[in-house]
Amino acid sequence: MFRAVLASALFLLPAVTLAQAAKPATPSPAAVEHPRVVIHTSQGEFTLELYPEKAPKSVANFLQYVRDGFYDGTVFHRVVDGYMVQGGLYSRDLTQRRTRAAIPSEADNGLSNLRGTVAVARGTDPNSGTSQFFVNLVDNRRLDYVGNQSSLTWGFAVFGKVASGMDTIDKIAKLPTRAQGPFVGDVPNPLVIIESANVVGEERATPAPATTTSTPAGATKAPAKTAAPAGPAKPAAKTATPKKTEKKPATASTPA
């Protein structure tokens, strides 16, 4: 009797094993699609991968500027080797373009300002970011969100990273800089022009001519020659002593 039961069990074992193997695996959650933007510059091109699940407002804001053709013909007006590269507001003649309303800061999204990440540039108010952005050249954790106590602790909202073409960013970082237009320094020479910015997989309509009219009421005015542009201030160790003939720029609202 025992042998008969054992033989029956062994006979059924392959069938049970086969049934278990044939059982469909539990589907994994669908991955969030990350939009990509290709930016062509006078120094080469690079591609940004954006994180809408982490910074939905920042990503939507950036993508709208791209789709509007806003960045075409703007420049990277601020380059600090070993720190960051910033652009997205000024035309070739270093006049400001008209922007949309500012967006709320998403700096508390858990993303860090590591090398290759792209973040929203802003002024003293954490919620003053518009079209400007910067790419971190090194790990700038001092620019991360610490708390909402003040502008110094708010940090800067990371909303994507350079997916390819970081060599172009590094090339831009190595350009010599000078004072030009409203800026007392850090303007690359020659100017780095954003020739076009396009969302991968999207056909964009021909953009309207860029507007360079005066800034609307309530928007941030163009910085005076003695004012620092919106965005993170230079690290203390990187700040050079101004020459006697230069005016020292005012300190921007950034982490100490």
Side-chain angles (χ1 to χ4, degrees), residues 166-224:
M166 193 62 192
D167 56 329
T168 297
I169 299 295
D170 290 333
K171 180 180 177 182
I172 294 171
K174 295 299 181 183
L175 291 173
T177 58
R178 63 179 176 177
Q180 187 177 351
F183 306 108
V184 297
D186 299 332
V187 180
N189 182 25
L191 277 175
V192 181
I193 314 296
I194 295 179
E195 296 167 348
S196 66
N198 298 286
V199 181
V200 174
E202 293 185 10
E203 293 293 333
R204 197 182 71 198
T206 303
T211 302
T212 56
T213 56
S214 57
T215 305
T220 305
K221 294 182 179 179

Side-chain angles (χ1 to χ4, degrees), residues 52-198:
E53 77 279 14
K54 289 287 189 177
K57 294 182 177 66
S58 302
V59 169
N61 178 68
F62 182 75
L63 288 176
Q64 191 59 57
Y65 279 115
V66 171
R67 288 167 177 145
D68 290 345
F70 180 91
Y71 293 121
D72 299 3
T74 61
V75 301
F76 283 102
H77 64 275
R78 187 175 179 220
V79 171
V80 184
D81 191 16
Y83 188 35
M84 47 77 74
V85 168
Q86 180 177 335
L89 178 63
Y90 294 89
S91 296
R92 298 168 191 251
D93 58 358
L94 294 180
T95 57
Q96 282 191 5
R97 293 191 173 183
R98 187 189 299 271
T99 64
R100 298 193 309 276
I103 59 172
S105 173
E106 295 177 309
D108 58 344
N109 60 15
L111 297 177
S112 182
N113 284 270
L114 303 178
R115 170 174 163 79
T117 56
V118 57
V120 179
R122 62 168 175 81
T124 17
D125 181 355
N127 302 308
S128 62
T130 55
S131 64
Q132 289 194 69
F133 61 93
F134 64 92
V135 178
N136 288 290
L137 297 172
V138 295
D139 291 352
N140 289 317
R141 288 187 174 87
R142 63 186 294 274
L143 302 181
D144 292 348
Y145 177 86
V146 177
N148 59 6
Q149 294 84 1
S150 71
S151 175
L152 296 177
T153 60
W154 258 101
F156 293 81
V158 172
F159 66 95
K161 70 175 182 180
V162 177
S164 64
M166 193 62 192
D167 56 329
T168 297
I169 299 295
D170 290 333
K171 180 180 177 182
I172 294 171
K174 295 299 181 183
L175 291 173
T177 58
R178 63 179 176 177
Q180 187 177 351
F183 306 108
V184 297
D186 299 332
V187 180
N189 182 25
L191 277 175
V192 181
I193 314 296
I194 295 179
E195 296 167 348
S196 66
N198 298 286

